[in-house]
Amino acid sequence: MIRDSRDEDIPAIAAIYGHWVTHGLASFELAEPGAAEMAARRAAILAGGFPYIVATDAAGRLLGYAYASSYRARPGYRFTVENSIYVAPDAGGRGTGRALLAMLVERCEALDFRLMIAVIGDSANAASIGLHAACGFAHAGLLPAVGWKHGRWVDSVLMTRPLGPGATAPAPGG
């Protein structure tokens, strides 16, 4: 089930993200942020009018979360969002990421955003690259050795997906 995130989801969100900060390369953060910091980040995203959603199983256990945020602060970028998706380490390969990303795209289209950008940590992250490709994202570039984590240089892969009419029509409000 995909639904809007709630305050009570924060401990599970923090645990999922903390796992990937400690054990993965998807995030270039080096120390796990606590629940209070994750709550503040979520509040800022929601205050900006962006979607923040979660996936749960039939028992209500949180399997993953996703949100969109501003790609850049300057006003010319206001129709472009960046996505973030994290799935619990024991919940991968079951379609959770795909369901989250599909709903996030749908929600961002309803908000009149025109482009979604994925900034994927680690060019060897085949699961995330494949997920984004399966959901209509195209490779847009590579930032080689842009981050240092776990004792090595790490690339970022850039992928993009048009939303709604994309660049084929003027932006709302011109």
Side-chain angles (χ1 to χ4, degrees):
M1 179 174 107
I2 307 292
R3 62 167 171 77
D4 288 333
S5 65
R6 302 176 187 147
D7 292 343
E8 59 266 22
D9 296 325
I10 292 297
I13 288 169
I16 290 168
Y17 183 66
H19 170 84
W20 294 115
V21 167
T22 300
H23 302 288
L25 297 167
S27 169
F28 286 8
E29 203 152 356
L30 300 178
E32 293 180 34
E37 174 61 22
M38 293 301 286
R41 293 178 188 185
R42 176 179 165 267
I45 288 163
L46 294 173
F50 300 101
Y52 200 122
I53 58 177
V54 298
T56 61
D57 65 13
R61 179 177 158 255
L62 200 134
L63 302 174
Y65 69 97
Y67 60 87
S69 58
S70 177
Y71 171 65
R72 299 260 173 115
R74 291 192 174 44
Y77 293 111
R78 70 189 175 280
F79 298 104
T80 301
V81 292
E82 180 178 338
N83 75 54
S84 293
I85 301 169
Y86 290 92
V87 174
D90 63 343
R94 300 191 316 203
T96 302
R98 185 181 294 234
L100 282 165
L101 185 52
M103 178 59 72
L104 192 63
V105 164
E106 183 179 311
R107 296 279 300 276
C108 287
E109 286 178 330
L111 292 167
D112 281 333
F113 292 111
R114 296 299 181 88
L115 183 74
M116 185 174 283
I117 297 176
V119 181
I120 300 168
D122 188 14
S123 56
N125 189 342
S128 187
I129 293 166
L131 166 66
H132 284 85
C135 289
F137 284 73
H139 182 81
L142 176 74
L143 302 173
V146 71
W148 177 264
K149 188 170 180 184
H150 298 316
R152 68 181 183 94
W153 290 107
V154 183
D155 301 334
S156 281
V157 175
L158 303 177
M159 297 183 79
T160 60
R161 184 194 193 284
L163 300 174
T168 65

